[in-house]
Amino acid sequence: MTVDLTTRLVSADPAGIAAAVQCLARGGLVAFPTETVYGLGADATDGAAVARLYAAKGRPRFNPLIAHVPDLAAAGKLGIFNSDADRLAQAFWPGPLTLVVPRPPDCPVCDLATAGLDTIALRVPDHPVARRILRDFGRPVVAPSANRSGHVSPTQAAHVMADLRGRIEMIVDGGPTAVGVESTIVACIDEATLLRPGGLPRAAIEEALRHPLARAARPAESADEAPLAPGMLASHYAPRARLRLRVKDAEPGEAVLAFGPDLPPAMRHAKVLLNLSPAGDLVEAAANLFSHLRALDRAGVASIAVMPVPPEGLGEAINDRLQRAAAPR
Ligand code: TXA
Ligand code: MG
């Protein structure tokens, strides 16, 4: 793996976007903003580019990638949509939803990108910069979160720089991302099944489907079997510090990740304290989650005490990421 590339940081203006598109066309690796987190893009049809992407992230090759396209018409050329997939795509694309569907025999996405599976993950992101790049490039772009494998996902260009400087060609800086957690992943193969909670709440999906989502056959995070969403390993999204979840007190020297207006006295006076949302708003909390984890980690503390976050709405995805960040590794 080349680790001494010059990583160009460009702004998300027409010149920066044109440079990004040219770079992708040459087989380069380009990080760009989506509404969820920054993605690390490569030409999905170019096996060599996709191989470089796995190497740059240090990502296991059994963990397939999401192909990003500008609209449903483009997605329809890469996957086979049943009625549930069609309904969800109509309702929520562009948006923070990834659909896993059967892959047709003539799918142009390279086998390495789908890790040899007969299904493919597809997403139409809702971010003007991502959409401009996808439209202008004209081919599908695989884009995992633009972090080193196992690290916290990036919600700012500076996070990408910290993780991938020297390993990728370019970062398009579009400011902080709005949603802050990755897309919700739903498999539409037979019964619609939730593979990963994310930026689109479960309730919205079930309302559009008019029936509940099936549960994944085995816990997606079981690391010893091939998981359903193969990337959902238990220890993921990990900061260096140890996390203690759902606690109402802080130990001496511990940093605090708070939620809501009412902080227990033991926490209020912690030296290092960040609040996901002082107002108790889950949308704001999701947007702040990964940058707060990175900031607390930078403070060099050994342990982070995390207050309880309610499980409804985006709270399902927030609690999922916190549990993974807290998992033993
Ligand atoms: O919000 C997002 O989805 C971001 C932005 C950049 O679009 N991308 C993202 O990609 O989170 P990544 O690679 O970090 O996570 C993709 C997940 C992995 O857990 C992977 O195992 C799963 O999608 N996946 C990909 N293809 C799959 C397939 N055919 N079947 C099941 N899971 C799949
Ligand atoms: Mg990721």
Side-chain angles (χ1 to χ4, degrees):
M1 174 66 207
T2 328
V3 290
D4 50 5
L5 296 170
T6 304
T7 302
R8 268 180 78 195
L9 183 66
V10 302
S11 6
D13 54 20
I17 287 171
V21 168
Q22 277 167 23
C23 185
L24 287 170
R26 287 193 303 263
L29 305 179
V30 178
F32 61 88
T34 79
E35 80 278 33
T36 57
V37 299
Y38 274 73
L40 178 59
D43 180 349
T45 67
D46 177 347
V50 174
R52 289 186 65 230
L53 188 154
Y54 277 95
K57 274 189 60 101
R59 181 179 178 111
R61 290 202 179 193
F62 60 76
N63 188 4
L65 304 168
I66 300 171
H68 294 64
V69 287
D71 50 38
L72 176 53
K77 295 188 181 127
L78 306 180
I80 300 166
F81 283 61
N82 65 14
S83 58
D84 281 346
D86 220 47
R87 181 170 290 167
L88 293 180
Q90 299 281 0
F92 300 115
W93 277 356
L97 172 70
T98 294
L99 295 173
V100 172
V101 298
R103 182 191 149 130
D106 59 350
C107 178
V109 170
C110 67
D111 288 327
L112 182 55
T114 54
L117 298 175
D118 51 13
T119 57
I120 184 166
L122 299 170
R123 165 157 140 76
V124 177
D126 185 14
H127 190 289
V129 174
R131 300 194 83 201
R132 189 77 260 162
I133 291 173
L134 293 171
R135 279 202 193 293
D136 291 356
F137 184 54
R139 290 199 286 276
V141 171
V142 284
S145 51
N147 49 279
R148 292 289 283 275
S149 189
H151 285 194
V152 174
S153 289
T155 57
Q156 300 171 21
H159 299 163
V160 182
M161 207 41 120
D163 263 30
L164 294 174
R165 163 175 258 154
R167 306 176 75 88
I168 66 176
E169 276 80 10
M170 193 177 292
I171 302 171
V172 182
D173 187 353
T177 62
V179 176
V181 291
E182 302 86 345
S183 61
T184 303
I185 306 183
V186 174
C188 294
I189 293 163
D190 16 70
E191 261 190 307
T193 303
L194 182 68
L195 299 186
R196 174 175 79 179
L200 182 64
R202 172 202 290 269
I205 298 171
E206 294 184 335
E207 193 183 320
L209 287 175
R210 294 186 219 109
H211 60 78
L213 284 162
R215 288 182 164 281
R218 49 181 180 270
E221 64 274 16
S222 63
D224 44 353
E225 307 169 74
L228 260 182
M232 299 304 277
L233 305 177
S235 169
H236 211 90
Y237 308 99
R240 276 184 303 272
R242 183 172 69 95
L243 263 68
R244 292 197 308 125
L245 301 186
R246 288 178 295 274
V247 294
K248 297 204 165 78
D249 55 357
E251 287 162 5
E254 224 177 12
V256 169
L257 185 61
F259 176 83
D262 304 315
L263 307 200
M267 289 190 153
R268 222 173 292 149
H269 304 296
K271 276 214 187 69
V272 186
L273 181 148
L274 288 175
N275 197 326
L276 288 170
S277 170
D281 173 10
L282 289 166
V283 174
E284 182 185 25
N288 285 330
L289 177 65
F290 291 137
S291 60
H292 280 12
L293 281 175
R294 277 184 189 257
L296 292 177
D297 218 20
R298 273 201 308 274
V301 293
S303 175
I304 302 172
V306 185
M307 279 178 66
V309 176
E312 62 265 9
L314 287 183
E316 186 177 6
I318 295 170
N319 281 298
D320 171 84
R321 303 307 187 269
L322 284 170
Q323 263 149 33
R324 286 172 207 290
R329 55 199 114 99

